[in-house]
Every structure is written in C-alpha cells, then in structure tokens.
Amino acid sequence: MDKKVVIIPTYNEKENVEKIIGAVLALEDGYDILIIDDGSPDGTAAIVKGLIPSCGGRLHIIERKGKLGLGTAYITGFKWALENGYDYIFEMDADFSHDPADLPRLYQACKDGADMSVGSRYCKGVNVVNWPMSRVLMSWGASRYVRFILRVPLHDTTAGFVCYSRKVLETIDLNSVKMKGYGFQIEMKYTAHRLGFKIAEVSVIFKDRTEGKSKMSSGIFGEAFWGVIKLRFRRF
C-alpha cells in the first residue's frame, strides 16, 4: 500500500484542528497527517499533541516559532515527508474549505497517470461557496492572469488542495522555491509543469471557513502578482 501523508499548516486553528484530524484519519486507505504549526498563541499545537497518543502513529507535528509563511511551512513538510518515505504528499487547509472526502479523488487521479493533481475550483465553472463576489472575482482573475502570463494549462493555478507524487518533490529543488504566501502555490505548479510533469485537475467545491479567521491579505496577492512576472523569466 502506498504511504500517504496530508500536510496541514496551522495558525490559530483551535476551532478546527481536532475535527479536521478526525475527518482525515477516518478515511479508508490510511492517510497520515503532519501538522505544521507556526507558534499558534491559541493553543492549536497543544490540542494536536494531546491527540497524538490515540492516533496510532499516524499523527505528527512540527512546531515552528512565529509565522514564517505558508510556503516555508509546506517546504518543511515536503522535506519531512520525503525523509520518512511517503509516496504521495498532500496539501490541505485546516478550516474545511477543502473537503477531506476529496482526498481519495486526488490520490486516484495520480494513480490514473498524473504526477500531480489539483483540487480545482474553476475547471468546471466556478465552484466556490460563501465567498463575496469581490473575492471570487479576485481569485478567478488571478488564475486567469497566471494562465495567460505563464502559459500553464490549469484553470486554478492558486489552489492549495494538491496531491504530489514523490518523484515531483524529489525533482523540484525545494531550496530554490522563493515565494512564501499563496504565490507559493503558483510557483510549485509552474515549476512542475516546466519540468514536464503531468498535472491533472479534479473538480472540487470550495467552501469558505465557518470557524476561525482567514489568513488572506492584500500583501499575499501582491507577492503573487509580481512573483508571476519574475517566474516568467526564470530559466529551467
């Protein structure tokens, strides 16, 4: 059986973390979890550590001091997953905007021939629930912008619900990944595409968080906007 791990970055997710862990561990086919917590002052890490003894070795945590960025959290998780022999590595948010029940669909897309699969909000229309129209247009427009500038054949280039096969993360130079915010998602997809990996989009419904606070900011979009232009001129 393939070894699979779901990497979930957290910062102040005490309302969601126990529930998301339970939902992922309840899936069939054995999905392990790695929480990357950036020093949450609300006690998120303590909740996770309290659950570890009852999870049969399937729940792990890395604690970092302070908010160091989404991208660096995932890079830390990717390196840990490769060192620990996982075959498929997933990215997922803690707030249930990504449905844990869709994890097997992302996994199956890779088993069916993709090197990497993306839970896509936009490959079959616009599948977003409870977002204000302004945010939908910003997100959809950002993906269109990236698709146009970078010529990436994906409808949802900013998606954070992803499954990587081991060989993708072994091939990408993780130390050279520059962007730390949501631009990280764009950079990883573009890099995988330029390296010749097959990327599949799996249509999912994205639901805005019902508990906790969003980490979205204008600075995150600013980094992504200018970072895309820099990516356009990167040599591979």
Side-chain angles (χ1 to χ4, degrees), residues 145-163:
Y145 164 73
V146 173
R147 185 182 173 100
F148 175 75
I149 297 295
L150 298 182
R151 301 293 191 264
V152 179
L154 297 173
H155 295 87
D156 195 350
T157 54
T158 63
F161 196 19
V162 181
C163 174

Side-chain angles (χ1 to χ4, degrees), residues 123-170:
C123 67
K124 293 184 178 179
V126 177
N127 293 323
V128 177
V129 178
N130 294 333
W131 265 10
M133 184 55 66
S134 60
R135 188 169 175 185
V136 172
L137 291 174
M138 182 180 293
S139 174
W140 179 83
S143 282
R144 295 285 293 181
Y145 164 73
V146 173
R147 185 182 173 100
F148 175 75
I149 297 295
L150 298 182
R151 301 293 191 264
V152 179
L154 297 173
H155 295 87
D156 195 350
T157 54
T158 63
F161 196 19
V162 181
C163 174
Y164 297 90
S165 64
R166 181 183 181 88
K167 63 182 176 182
V168 174
L169 296 181
E170 286 180 324

